[in-house]
Amino acid sequence: MKVFNTLTRTKEEFIPVDENEVKIYACGPTVYNYIHIGNARPLCVFDVLRRYMEYRGYNVKFVQNFTDVDDKIINRANEEGLSFEEVSEKYINEFWTDAHGLNFKDATVHPKATENIEEIIDIINSLVEKGYAYAVDGDVYYRALKFKDYGKLSHQPIDDLQSGARIAVGDKKENPLDFALWKAAKEGEPYWDSPWGKGRPGWHIECSAMNRKYLGKTIDIHCGGQDLIFPHHENEIAQSEAANDAPFSKYWMHNGYINVDNVKMSKSLGNFKTVREIADAYGYEVIRYFLISSHYRSPINYNLEIIEQCKAALDRLYTCRESLDFAIKNAKGSGSDENLITQLNSRKEQFIKAMDDDLNTADGLAAIFDLVKDINTKILDKDVSKGDCEIAASLFDELCGVLGILYNRKSNDLDSEIEALIEQRQEARKNKDWATADKIRDDLKARGIILKDTPQGVTWTKE
């Protein structure tokens, strides 16, 4: 498998640090609001990364954090008259509603910043002792320029970074690029005791501390949205490598931005879309399909027309899978068609080739739709054995499972009344009583049951 490494700006062969376990860290949400589709893209994309690596035989340890203390959380708590703990727990619960709706597999560990204060203080202490950090009036800052490789992830020269940085009036930093590791407590804010006084951690340091605690000093893949490259991930590298005297992450993977109606999504522009509001209208699975339908590094555009197209594509997949269930139940052929099995296996190879090429989910989906064509033309319209139908269904489920789609399949058990109506229609057709057969079909359609006549018999789907 090859992945595009942001650190080197090249596509590299993936070779794990430890052949026994792949260690992946994904930056999680700051829990002060419902997640938006910008949050959901890395959630779904890197869930697929984890699923695919497990599919290819790797033992994966996947860590995703919750930032549960932050200025935004404190501000929301003040607005709602709640404690910061109540706000963070509320939106962690809302996160799980959306994440599970999107079929996200729980990480191996979901640590919270507030549960790792001891580890955060420990790593800050080591940075102070090594001269990479300094304390001023209860705050602790990281000396960015002391880390000789600062800027290596974002590929920005130090002069350019400095020209874009500013020191606000009253700021205590030695250099505009220095960033907070620990913040002295203000009136009414939550705090923890530390060697520098009462305060709370800065944003960047929590990920360095939790990476080291749960995954070790050097991990395989650190991933997140493109917007995190600088300063968040750049600062993580500086902190971790200075504290640990070891490379931080071997590979860095970042997904592209989301536009809404061809304009970059932004709260300030009012085009901010939460996962919840889209799911209320279209369901969660359509969102997941949309987010993985393009290559993860490409920008994607959200609009209602595209969502409708994604819904139609999913409907086509569901129809194919339901037809396979019917074909298995009513198969009349015997033996096995070796040419058919070879053709089906070629789609698996096509899928793996796509996914091995930097997690190309767009081409992976194309392979699944090519499989659908094969099923429609070589199985559903032919007298194929039950065994061959089952092989096709198993492969279909296997590939869709890697992408985490088709997880809302419903039971095809019809109630006895509808079963009886379908049988009555079949009997009417045998007797050439077309008027009765058509009336039963229309009655079922009015109840949301769509019939389709096939060589194996009548199949049905729900609208």
Side-chain angles (χ1 to χ4, degrees):
M1 182 182 184
K2 292 187 176 180
V3 298
F4 184 87
N5 189 351
T6 307
L7 187 64
T8 61
R9 288 186 172 177
T10 59
K11 200 180 289 186
E12 301 177 14
E13 189 75 29
F14 176 74
I15 302 172
V17 175
D18 180 348
E19 63 181 15
N20 297 315
E21 185 176 65
V22 173
K23 299 174 181 179
I24 303 176
Y25 187 93
C27 286
T30 300
V31 283
Y32 71 101
N33 204 344
Y34 297 97
I35 63 170
H36 53 70
I37 54 172
N39 304 133
R41 190 177 192 190
L43 196 69
C44 292
V45 163
F46 299 119
D47 178 64
V48 171
L49 173 67
R50 181 230 191 134
R51 288 171 183 264
Y52 185 65
M53 289 202 157
E54 290 174 341
Y55 175 68
R56 296 290 273 152
Y58 291 109
N59 176 32
V60 178
K61 188 171 185 181
F62 186 80
V63 176
Q64 185 185 55
N65 71 304
F66 288 116
T67 297
D68 62 339
V69 61
D70 178 88
D71 289 341
K72 294 173 182 176
I73 296 171
I74 294 167
N75 292 338
R76 177 56 63 93
N78 292 335
E79 290 170 8
E80 298 187 6
L82 301 171
S83 67
F84 87 94
E85 294 99 335
E86 289 172 319
V87 168
S88 63
E89 283 306 309
K90 171 184 175 180
Y91 288 108
I92 285 173
N93 290 333
E94 298 295 357
F95 166 86
W96 284 123
T97 297
D98 290 334
H100 290 154
L102 292 167
N103 201 28
F104 171 78
K105 287 178 63 175
D106 291 7
T108 313
V109 187
H110 279 282
K112 300 174 184 176
T114 58
E115 295 172 344
N116 291 276
I117 298 297
E118 182 179 340
E119 289 76 18
I120 291 170
I121 290 174
D122 182 62
I123 200 169
I124 296 174
N125 252 331
S126 68
L127 291 170
V128 171
E129 290 171 0
K130 291 181 176 183
Y132 282 96
Y134 57 96
V136 184
D137 298 334
D139 294 325
V140 182
Y141 295 99
Y142 185 93
R143 288 189 173 98
L145 296 185
K146 184 173 175 60
F147 184 70
K148 64 181 179 64
D149 291 328
Y150 194 75
K152 67 179 179 179
L153 183 68
S154 54
H155 301 276
Q156 299 183 70
I158 289 294
D159 289 345
D160 291 350
L161 292 173
Q162 283 187 300
S163 66
R166 295 287 183 271
I167 292 184
V169 175
D171 207 328
K172 307 164 189 173
K173 295 190 292 186
E174 295 175 353
N175 186 284
L177 286 177
D178 294 351
F179 54 89
L181 302 175
W182 188 261
K183 298 180 178 182
K186 297 178 183 176
E187 182 82 29
E189 286 189 350
Y191 64 82
W192 289 263
D193 291 324
S194 80
W196 317 284
K198 299 181 186 301
R200 58 186 172 89
W203 175 35
H204 313 299
I205 194 63
E206 66 178 82
C207 289
S208 288
M210 288 186 277
N211 260 290
R212 187 169 76 176
K213 178 179 178 180
Y214 296 101
L215 294 175
K217 293 182 178 181
T218 301
I219 67 173
D220 291 286
I221 300 173
H222 198 312
C223 47
Q226 185 179 336
D227 58 310
L228 296 182
I229 295 174
F230 187 87
H232 187 49
H233 289 165
E234 193 77 72
N235 291 349
E236 280 188 62
I237 291 175
Q239 295 164 163
S240 295
E241 297 192 355
N244 301 330
D245 296 316
F248 181 32
S249 182
K250 189 172 181 181
Y251 306 93
W252 290 82
M253 297 176 70
H254 295 93
N255 63 271
Y257 291 112
I258 292 183
N259 297 324
V260 176
D261 292 323
N262 296 310
V263 177
K264 184 179 175 182
M265 190 178 74
S266 167
K267 292 179 184 178
S268 62
L269 295 176
N271 62 351
F272 179 85
K273 299 290 182 181
T274 67
V275 167
R276 188 69 54 87
E277 64 182 303
I278 301 170
D280 285 345
Y282 292 95
Y284 283 102
E285 189 169 11
V286 174
I287 301 172
R288 183 180 179 101
Y289 185 94
F290 162 66
L291 293 172
I292 66 169
S293 60
S294 300
H295 190 281
Y296 76 93
R297 285 192 289 115
S298 302
I300 55 175
N301 185 52
Y302 169 88
N303 61 42
L304 296 184
E305 181 182 354
I306 292 172
I307 288 294
E308 290 286 357
Q309 291 170 0
C310 291
K311 182 177 182 298
L314 272 173
D315 287 345
R316 185 180 169 200
L317 294 177
Y318 272 104
T319 298
C320 178
R321 189 60 184 84
E322 289 163 2
S323 298
L324 271 174
D325 278 339
F326 186 85
I328 291 169
K329 183 179 179 182
N330 297 279
K332 298 174 182 176
S334 59
S336 182
D337 183 339
E338 291 186 9
N339 290 332
L340 171 61
I341 301 306
T342 299
Q343 178 68 14
L344 296 178
N345 285 333
S346 74
R347 298 309 180 195
K348 179 176 180 177
E349 293 168 5
Q350 179 184 347
F351 178 84
I352 290 173
K353 182 179 179 181
M355 297 293 282
D356 272 353
D357 184 14
D358 193 29
L359 204 71
N360 194 332
T361 53
D363 285 355
L365 279 169
I368 292 175
F369 277 102
D370 284 342
L371 176 63
V372 168
K373 289 179 188 176
D374 294 338
I375 291 169
N376 287 338
T377 59
K378 301 178 187 299
I379 294 180
L380 299 182
D381 291 335
K382 308 288 183 183
D383 288 331
V384 177
S385 71
K386 180 178 180 180
D388 285 356
C389 291
E390 288 175 335
I391 289 172
S394 177
L395 177 59
F396 187 92
D397 292 344
E398 180 181 314
L399 302 187
C400 288
V402 174
L403 298 183
I405 56 175
L406 258 66
Y407 55 93
N408 284 314
R409 290 184 62 213
K410 295 179 174 61
S411 169
N412 283 356
D413 293 333
L414 290 177
D415 62 40
S416 57
E417 179 188 358
I418 295 176
E419 290 273 12
L421 284 171
I422 291 175
E423 290 178 9
Q424 287 175 30
R425 177 177 177 271
Q426 290 297 88
E427 190 65 28
R429 283 166 60 85
K430 287 180 184 177
N431 296 330
K432 300 188 186 305
D433 183 358
W434 308 118
T436 299
D438 289 345
K439 183 177 185 305
I440 292 172
R441 175 191 281 271
D442 291 342
D443 287 347
L444 288 173
K445 184 176 181 180
R447 297 167 68 170
I449 305 298
I450 306 301
L451 304 183
K452 180 182 178 183
D453 297 305
T454 75
Q456 291 87 9
V458 181
T459 64
W460 64 272
T461 56
K462 288 184 180 180
E463 282 188 317

